Amino acid sequence: MTDSKIFRRLTYGLYVISSLKEGRINAQIANTVFQITSAPLIVAISINKENLTHEYIQNSKVFAVNILPVSTPLEMIGHFGFKSGRNLDKFGEVAFKPGQTGSPLLTSNSIGYLEAEVIQSTELSTHTVFYGQVMNTEVYSDEEPMTYGFYQQLKRGTAAPASPAAKSSRSEQAEKAESIKKENLIKEGPTMQKYECPVCSYIYDPEKGDPDSGIEPGTAFEALPDDWVCPVCGVDKSQFQPVD
Ligand SMILES: Cc1cc2nc3c(=O)[nH]c(=O)nc-3n(C[C@H](O)[C@H](O)[C@H](O)COP(=O)(O)O)c2cc1C
């Protein structure tokens, strides 16, 4: 007997894997980064074949692993982890510098990176495991790395964002959203106001409801049960923001 819930007991970090192809750059979130050997220094990453980053790594045979700090905002994880470079330029508004391999290296929300050249790969069903020989590294800071577990807590609203800046901007946003919700309720009762998920940009549209989660069309956001979560990425209801 197997139960995939056991996978939730495995521990991981959270990384932005970047690469390039013919002068274009892209990156994605991955938790599957692990050291294989220390002499030589070899790491492995497991990348979904459908991702643009997969196409780039397969083509250029290089990648970088940017290590996220515990203070990384959810929005940043959403930007690299729930959107594809096929639909937007992910580095349009994100600070980076080119690495020795040409892969983009984050210059904020990163505590360091390693760059690697692919020496071997294994195709396994939906994913390719790329093995990379590390050829360049840099440590930016001693800040604690983000873990997959902490990211899950942030999404559920059960952990406070680690950085004071993130904390205050999130609490200001939460207060603003809360006051708009209250105003709407007092003035008009439940409204047809749309709300957006800060991580994956899913929009809750009251006209459509969320039938897959048992929410009927016509259900106002304010009337959603407290335990309702984003149907795409699982973010807690309290994190949603009204759409202007
Ligand atoms: C927390 C988290 C962990 C993820 N881990 C992986 C992973 O290990 N491997 C992978 O291929 N995709 C992973 N993803 C999904 C990719 O980041 C996502 O599909 C991304 O949109 C691909 O972007 P691209 O098409 O621009 O390459 C993860 C996403 C999140 C939010």
Side-chain angles (χ1 to χ4, degrees):
M1 183 191 126
T2 56
D3 182 348
S4 64
K5 277 202 209 99
I6 195 69
F7 279 23
R8 296 191 206 147
R9 300 291 183 275
L10 299 178
T11 52
Y12 300 97
L14 217 51
Y15 311 93
V16 169
I17 309 290
S18 58
S19 189
L20 73 158
K21 181 186 175 185
E22 294 156 9
R24 283 170 293 143
I25 54 173
N26 192 55
Q28 66 155 78
I29 295 283
N31 57 285
T32 50
V33 174
F34 42 104
Q35 180 182 341
I36 303 292
T37 57
S38 52
L41 201 47
I42 293 172
V43 291
I45 56 174
S46 175
I47 302 294
N48 192 306
K49 291 176 188 169
E50 290 187 355
N51 296 352
L52 185 64
T53 311
H54 183 280
E55 187 183 316
Y56 282 21
I57 297 172
Q58 211 160 40
N59 186 273
S60 63
K61 302 272 184 283
V62 293
F63 62 86
V65 175
N66 297 273
I67 302 171
L68 300 178
V70 71
S71 58
T72 306
L74 275 179
E75 289 78 359
M76 164 112 174
I77 299 172
H79 178 74
F80 284 105
F82 282 96
K83 292 172 188 161
S84 176
R86 295 185 201 286
N87 309 318
L88 84 159
D89 171 11
K90 289 192 184 174
F91 283 96
E93 288 174 17
V94 172
F96 72 96
K97 63 181 182 184
Q100 282 180 17
T101 60
S103 305
L105 305 170
L106 297 176
T107 50
S108 62
N109 289 311
S110 170
I111 54 177
Y113 62 82
L114 59 87
E115 289 188 86
E117 287 168 348
V118 175
I119 49 166
Q120 211 171 308
S121 61
T122 308
E123 291 199 22
L124 291 165
S125 158
T126 53
H127 285 58
T128 301
V129 179
F130 293 103
Y131 303 92
Q133 171 129 24
V134 177
M135 41 79 70
N136 184 31
T137 63
E138 189 177 349
V139 175
Y140 293 141
S141 90
D142 289 333
E143 194 182 337
E144 214 180 307
M146 172 72 89
T147 63
Y148 187 70
F150 190 76
Y151 158 71
Q152 295 292 345
Q153 286 180 18
L154 275 180
K155 271 200 330 180
R156 289 195 292 264
T158 53
S163 82
K167 203 185 273 180
S168 75
S169 93
R170 180 154 294 286
S171 61
E172 274 165 27
Q173 281 174 18
E175 271 169 30
K176 193 175 147 210
E178 207 48 48
S179 79
I180 292 175
K181 279 179 221 166
K182 277 191 191 136
E183 265 173 40
N184 284 342
L185 268 176
I186 292 163
K187 274 197 223 135
E188 306 150 29
T191 67
M192 296 312 260
Q193 167 77 50
K194 292 178 186 169
Y195 281 76
E196 183 173 2
C197 172
V199 172
C200 68
S201 304
Y202 163 84
I203 306 258
Y204 178 77
D205 180 350
E207 272 180 30
K208 294 185 188 144
D210 176 16
D212 290 344
S213 314
I215 306 295
E216 302 269 316
T219 307
F221 183 84
E222 296 84 351
L224 290 172
D226 285 343
D227 60 358
W228 180 84
V229 294
C230 174
V232 177
C233 71
V235 153
D236 190 75
K237 179 188 169 192
S238 62
Q239 312 259 15
F240 272 63
Q241 302 292 319
V243 179
D244 292 332

